């Protein structure tokens, strides 16, 4: 069986799958996520549905170019009291995001959709609730200096697997979901599809 195609440019998702023993190819779907999110917000879609729609769109776009292959689309939304945050474009925006999240709780919603030949075979949504501590400006500046451009690759501008853990007071949810993929559920469906040993 050919490798799973991951329809995402996320290095964290690719690393999670590979480290779990899943052979993957990567094909990034060219979509304007910002414009789509604005459209979905105007339609009144909740964040979980937005993550699902974006994940499916990525998978469908890639599936059209790879007949017969299993394609996994994935997306993540950050919702803080009705405000949705995307990946920051630069360190100044990352700082603004972290200031906005400081001392507050937010929800990360991760969605995965499996597609073959344009047909959706499966999807799964998972959520985690995180509360940032009221860290000082000095800590924030030191964190951004040390983390550098790595924070630009994740919604919320933090990486929980590194120094970003120091930003938090409380975390409720699956670690993989926080990293951007409901990995255990994905592994289950890949076993059902015969891609992994049961």
């Amino acid at each position: 069986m050919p490798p799973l195609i991951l329809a995402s440019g996320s290095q964290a998702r690719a690393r999670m799958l590979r480290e779990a023993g899943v052979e993957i190819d990567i094909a990034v779907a060219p979509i304007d996520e910002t414009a789509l999110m604005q459209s979905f917000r105007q339609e009144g879609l909740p964040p979980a549905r937005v993550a699902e729609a974006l994940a499916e769109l990525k998978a469908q776009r890639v599936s059209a170019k790879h007949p017969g292959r299993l394609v996994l689309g994935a997306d993540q939304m950050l919702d803080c009291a009705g405000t949705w945050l995307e990946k920051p474009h630069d360190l100044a925006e990352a700082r603004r995001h972290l200031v906005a999240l400081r001392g507050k709780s937010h929800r990360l919603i991760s969605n995965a959709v499996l597609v073959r030949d344009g047909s959706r075979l499966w999807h799964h949504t998972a959520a985690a609730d995180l509360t940032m501590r009221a860290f000082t400006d000095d800590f924030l500046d030191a964190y951004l200096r040390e983390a550098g451009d790595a924070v630009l690759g994740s919604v919320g501008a933090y990486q929980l697997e590194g120094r970003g853990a120091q930003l938090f007071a409380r975390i409720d949810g699956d670690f993989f979901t926080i990293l951007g993929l409901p990995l255990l559920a994905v592994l289950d469906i890949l076993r059902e599809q015969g891609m992994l040993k049961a």
Side-chain angles (χ1 to χ4, degrees):
M1 183 176 285
L4 174 71
I5 298 176
L6 176 62
S8 169
S10 165
Q11 293 179 6
R13 290 184 186 115
R15 185 173 56 251
M16 276 190 278
L17 288 165
R18 287 182 174 132
E19 288 179 355
V22 180
E23 189 179 348
I24 62 170
D25 292 330
I26 296 173
V28 180
I31 63 171
D32 186 344
E33 290 189 45
T34 300
L36 287 166
M37 283 175 63
Q38 289 172 353
S39 173
F40 292 146
R41 182 180 270 290
Q42 289 172 351
E43 292 175 30
L45 290 184
R49 181 68 187 99
V50 173
E52 180 183 342
L54 290 172
E56 182 165 3
L57 180 59
K58 293 173 188 178
Q60 294 286 4
R61 290 269 174 94
V62 170
S63 179
K65 296 178 181 177
H66 299 277
R69 300 279 300 272
L70 282 173
V71 179
L72 182 70
D75 199 80
Q76 185 176 58
M77 293 285 295
L78 187 156
D79 181 22
C80 181
T83 298
W84 300 352
L85 295 183
E86 297 182 60
K87 293 177 185 175
H89 295 96
D90 55 35
L91 289 175
E93 187 175 23
R95 191 180 198 286
R96 288 193 298 274
H97 286 188
L98 290 167
V99 167
L101 295 171
R102 177 168 48 191
K104 297 177 185 171
S105 294
H106 64 274
R107 173 165 279 195
L108 283 177
I109 302 152
S110 293
N111 194 286
V113 176
L114 192 65
V115 169
R116 180 189 282 130
D117 293 325
S119 293
R120 182 164 99 163
L121 305 175
W122 169 91
H123 85 280
H124 184 81
T125 302
D129 295 306
L130 300 90
T131 302
M132 281 197 178
R133 65 185 183 85
F135 46 80
T136 64
D137 285 344
D138 284 346
F139 174 83
L140 175 56
D141 292 337
Y143 166 71
L144 288 172
R145 255 192 326 274
E146 184 175 306
D149 289 344
V151 300
L152 306 181
S154 60
V155 296
Y158 55 80
Q159 294 173 313
L160 196 62
E161 63 273 32
R163 187 169 178 184
Q166 291 191 42
L167 296 165
F168 292 92
R170 181 181 176 91
I171 295 171
D172 295 304
D174 178 75
F175 183 68
F176 300 116
T177 296
I178 295 166
L179 296 184
L181 187 69
L183 181 63
L184 299 181
V186 169
L187 295 176
D188 280 344
I189 189 61
L190 294 180
R191 281 189 286 271
E192 287 180 26
Q193 293 292 321
M195 294 201 80
L196 297 174
K197 293 180 181 177

